[in-house]
Amino acid sequence: MQNHFLKLSDFTKGELDDLFTLTRDLKAKQKKGVEHHLLKGKALAMIFEKSSTRTRISFEVGIYQLGGHGLFISSGTSQMGRGEPIKDTARILARYCDGVMIRTFGQEIVDEFARYSSVPVINGLTDLFHPCQIMADLFTVIEARGSYEGLKIAWVGDGNNMANTWIEAAAIFGFDLALACPKGYEPDAQVMAWAQAKAPGRITLTGDPKEAVKDADVLNTDVWASMGQEAEQKEREKAFAGYQLDESLVNLARGNCMVLHCLPAHRGEEIADDVIEGPHSAVWDEAENRLHIQKAIMATLMG
């Protein structure tokens, strides 16, 4: 197992499956009220350069349930926000804390932080990858279907950090992934090339949402304009016309399909209200499972 959790492609399928096994155990203990203080007395520094609801709360509650303590650090109120080199902050936090979670913009920031940190660093989100979220999504699929094997998973919308991480996951775990993205909003070309070389034929990219969702077992989407792209909102609304995950698209998937959304959702834009509230939606289980998968990640790296 790697010392850090920066992107899925750093790990083997077996290592990630072990995290799912531990997640199942920790979730069962939490539901039964069984104490599981695997990180008693340990501290997690949580650095936020992007705003957050689920990431902050799930990590803070998670480290508490594991017997440790979480420290919220906003970049605007830390020396990082005043220009302190990343490597300096990394080396100092490693003297105080037992692990660091970062939610930021560039992947290069978490990569550099990890290079200089002597304690585990967890990627809470970057513009390139969102590994904790995809692990939570896959765990949600496993809970509902028993396995991800043999499934077709569809992505409709922006080729963003979520799409990039789903591409990595498809190559590692071996399920089929179909992505529908407008021209000019495709996933990262290097990520796609790596995945297609690792798992030829597993990952397809189209501009037609109907083609992507046809006979899919799991449907995914995300906001059209992510954090930092708000100025592009109107332009993106035009580009993504026809990419809303609505009832007509859901009806093209398998009858027992699952609908996922990492949240927050812009209802009426990338997803219809009656879909996120409908019988196929597993969005609330998915959001809860951020807590459980991240506990497994922290326990494995920091324990």
Side-chain angles (χ1 to χ4, degrees), residues 181-194:
C181 306
K183 186 174 178 57
Y185 297 93
E186 296 90 351
D188 184 86
Q190 288 185 314
V191 174
M192 181 67 87
W194 171 86

Side-chain angles (χ1 to χ4, degrees), residues 109-281:
I109 294 172
V110 296
D111 289 343
E112 182 178 355
F113 206 105
R115 269 198 309 277
Y116 290 95
S117 175
S118 57
V119 299
V121 175
I122 300 170
N123 179 0
L125 173 143
T126 67
D127 289 343
L128 187 61
F129 294 118
H130 199 354
C132 292
Q133 181 66 62
I134 297 305
M135 288 294 286
D137 292 3
L138 278 170
F139 183 72
T140 307
V141 172
I142 292 168
E143 281 189 311
R145 300 295 165 84
S147 175
Y148 47 74
E149 294 178 356
L151 299 184
K152 176 185 176 181
I153 295 179
W155 175 265
V156 177
D158 191 19
N160 60 10
N161 50 6
M162 287 288 293
N164 292 332
T165 315
W166 270 115
I167 290 167
E168 285 200 326
I172 294 165
F173 292 108
F175 54 78
D176 291 329
L177 176 67
L179 304 106
C181 306
K183 186 174 178 57
Y185 297 93
E186 296 90 351
D188 184 86
Q190 288 185 314
V191 174
M192 181 67 87
W194 171 86
Q196 289 179 327
K198 183 175 177 63
R202 286 289 186 187
I203 302 155
T204 58
L205 177 62
T206 178
D208 184 356
K210 294 179 180 178
E211 179 183 341
V213 304
K214 183 173 171 52
D215 296 327
D217 301 280
V218 182
L219 308 180
N220 293 264
T221 191
D222 192 8
V223 294
W224 292 338
S226 298
M227 283 176 284
Q229 300 171 335
E230 289 81 3
E232 305 173 24
Q233 179 68 32
K234 295 300 181 184
E235 177 185 345
R236 283 172 171 265
E237 285 177 7
K238 295 177 182 177
F240 286 87
Y243 282 78
Q244 183 185 101
L245 189 54
D246 57 15
E247 190 175 352
S248 65
L249 285 183
V250 172
N251 287 340
L252 295 174
R254 294 193 182 276
N256 63 343
C257 70
M258 298 172 61
V259 170
L260 302 177
H261 191 304
C262 60
L263 301 176
H266 292 175
R267 299 171 186 233
E269 290 183 14
E270 77 279 356
I271 191 166
D273 187 78
D274 59 355
V275 169
I276 199 170
E277 295 288 356
H280 296 282
S281 176

Side-chain angles (χ1 to χ4, degrees), residues 27-86:
K27 184 173 182 177
K29 284 183 167 64
Q30 190 261 331
K31 294 297 184 184
K32 294 175 182 177
V34 176
E35 186 179 283
H36 46 288
H37 289 171
L38 304 179
L39 298 180
K40 186 175 182 179
K42 298 202 172 184
L44 175 75
M46 306 182 300
I47 300 174
F48 288 87
E49 293 192 301
K50 286 191 174 188
S51 58
S52 170
T53 298
R54 280 150 293 276
T55 298
R56 177 180 178 178
I57 295 170
S58 57
F59 269 106
E60 196 162 334
V61 171
I63 188 69
Y64 171 78
Q65 291 181 354
L66 290 169
H69 180 69
L71 300 94
F72 173 78
I73 304 169
S74 169
S75 61
T77 57
S78 71
Q79 296 300 334
M80 273 185 70
R82 299 179 65 244
E84 181 175 60
I86 292 168

Side-chain angles (χ1 to χ4, degrees), residues 27 136 139-140 143 285-294:
K27 184 173 182 177
F139 183 72
T140 307
E143 281 189 311
D285 293 333
E286 173 190 9
E288 178 190 338
N289 282 333
R290 284 288 301 279
L291 169 67
H292 306 297
I293 195 76
Q294 288 162 188

